[in-house]
Amino acid sequence: MAQLYFYYSAMNAGKSTSLLQSSYNYNERGMRALIFTAEIDTRFAQGKVVSRIGLSADALLFSPQTNMAEVIKKENNNQKVHCVLIDECQFLTKQQVEQLCDIVDNVDIPVLCYGLRTDFSGELFSGSQYLLAWSDKLVELKTVCWCGRKAGRVLRIGSDGIPVYEGAQVDIGGNEKYISVCRKHYMEAINKAKLMANGQLPKVPFHFN
């Protein structure tokens, strides 16, 4: 029976690499893996999933208006789809997660979603919230803080090198803007940034070591 999987982590834990490995495994067996990635993510060439270690694959784009079930069913009617792989799944809407549940339950195609659990302020993304609630399998992909502890939080770094603790949830960027840290060093960085903002500490760029 097909299942809905949610592979989640902080930044730079190898989510895209894991997705591309899954795609390779299916293709190697003569099976079709249908890949999606978020239209909003413009860090690399649109219509591709790209990993930090140089692997890549073509992908369909999804936006909040995309009917995932409709697209997948149409693709499956044209050519059998054996698996659906979704990168940057935190950007899915509640309705789209419901649509993926329909694909798993009623079309019997496994769906593997890869993305962040929380944003820079520690709040759940919409897609992640409902994937955590409704997935059949939850898998944490781990990465480490500079101190060696598990990194479960993501700091957003401003152009001045100081952590940001307010602002829009979505601000696309890579290593120049985000860093994965443990809870202890996340809280230390945010508290120092607030003291800097209040003039209680001088504003100097952070050094995470």
Side-chain angles (χ1 to χ4, degrees), residues 36-40 61-68 91-93 96:
F36 288 87
T37 192
E39 184 178 75
I40 195 174
L61 296 175
F62 73 85
S63 71
Q65 291 72 45
T66 303
N67 186 316
M68 301 298 287
F91 297 128
L92 293 167
T93 65
Q96 287 171 329

Side-chain angles (χ1 to χ4, degrees), residues 71-130:
V71 173
I72 295 167
K73 288 175 182 177
K74 181 178 179 180
E75 289 286 336
N76 189 50
N77 288 337
N78 291 335
Q79 181 184 349
K80 173 66 177 175
V81 174
H82 296 90
C83 179
V84 175
L85 304 168
I86 302 178
D87 197 34
E88 305 296 346
C89 66
Q90 69 269 13
F91 297 128
L92 293 167
T93 65
K94 177 182 179 181
Q95 185 178 32
Q96 287 171 329
V97 177
E98 290 176 333
Q99 292 164 1
L100 295 175
C101 289
D102 173 50
I103 290 297
V104 170
D105 296 339
N106 299 310
V107 189
D108 200 29
I109 299 174
V111 177
L112 285 65
C113 299
Y114 298 78
L116 301 174
R117 180 176 57 174
T118 57
D119 63 17
F120 75 104
S121 62
E123 299 294 329
L124 291 169
F125 285 96
S126 176
S128 306
Q129 176 183 349
Y130 293 102

Side-chain angles (χ1 to χ4, degrees), residues 3-14:
Q3 292 186 312
L4 176 61
Y5 297 79
F6 180 28
Y7 293 84
Y8 65 90
S9 73
M11 295 280 288
N12 297 331

